[in-house]
Amino acid sequence: MITIAIGSDHAGYRLKQEVKDYFRDQGIRFNDFGVDTPESVDYPDIALVVAESVARGENKYGILICGTGIGMVMAANKVPGIRAALCHDIFTARAAREHNDANILAVGERVTGGGVACGIVETFLQTSFQGGRHERMFL
Ligand code: RB5
């Protein structure tokens, strides 16, 4: 059974709790890399540990949450082997998997409500890479 790495900064920890509740409801196994308080932290520190665990193959996918998702996706993409995508809706979540073979999903708690975010997560986890012409785009 696959596992999902999940992490947030202080601006994303409430949404992270909602996504974890969704995982529990669905029986999806996850590893939580923090944080769980509103105390301010530097989002790259969380992005790095989640991205490294995915790059090492310890978790199949990663979910990163900050205020906007922007800082998390920028930081995660510095780790070799990571293709992190910031998604705002079901369409971008599906495309991130089908076209980009994204292995990390970033969402923003200040941008996306809990119900939509869980739908984005569900779509991301259930959608396969299409391969074919999309393989040429990888550096
Ligand atoms: C924290 O205030 C905020 O800057 C951070 O969560 C994120 O949105 C950065 O991209």
Side-chain angles (χ1 to χ4, degrees):
M1 192 181 194
I2 68 162
T3 57
I4 310 299
I6 188 167
S8 75
D9 72 354
H10 55 286
Y13 85 97
R14 288 186 196 84
L15 179 55
K16 178 161 69 71
Q17 299 308 118
E18 290 193 53
V19 174
K20 284 163 55 181
D21 286 344
Y22 164 76
F23 284 160
R24 290 187 190 99
D25 286 348
Q26 298 296 314
I28 294 169
R29 289 172 54 194
F30 63 89
N31 293 303
D32 186 357
F33 288 79
V35 298
D36 289 303
T37 75
E39 277 180 50
S40 185
V41 296
D42 295 340
Y43 57 79
D45 293 342
I46 305 297
L48 188 66
V49 289
V50 167
E52 286 179 340
S53 83
V54 173
R56 284 195 297 263
E58 294 163 5
N59 294 281
K60 185 169 173 61
Y61 297 116
I63 310 290
L64 286 169
I65 305 170
C66 62
T68 61
I70 296 170
M72 286 295 198
V73 79
M74 293 172 102
N77 275 320
K78 294 185 190 301
V79 175
I82 292 304
R83 294 177 300 280
L86 172 58
C87 297
H88 294 110
D89 46 41
I90 300 294
F91 181 84
T92 48
R94 184 178 299 121
R97 289 288 309 124
E98 287 183 343
H99 292 201
N100 309 107
D101 199 16
N103 51 11
I104 288 189
L105 166 68
V107 290
E109 180 182 306
R110 295 172 180 164
V111 181
T112 306
V116 174
C118 289
I120 289 170
V121 169
E122 180 177 57
T123 300
F124 187 87
L125 297 183
Q126 292 181 354
T127 304
S128 299
F129 179 47
Q130 285 181 341
R133 69 185 174 88
H134 301 298
E135 305 251 20
R136 291 204 306 274
M137 315 300 163
F138 296 160
L139 300 174

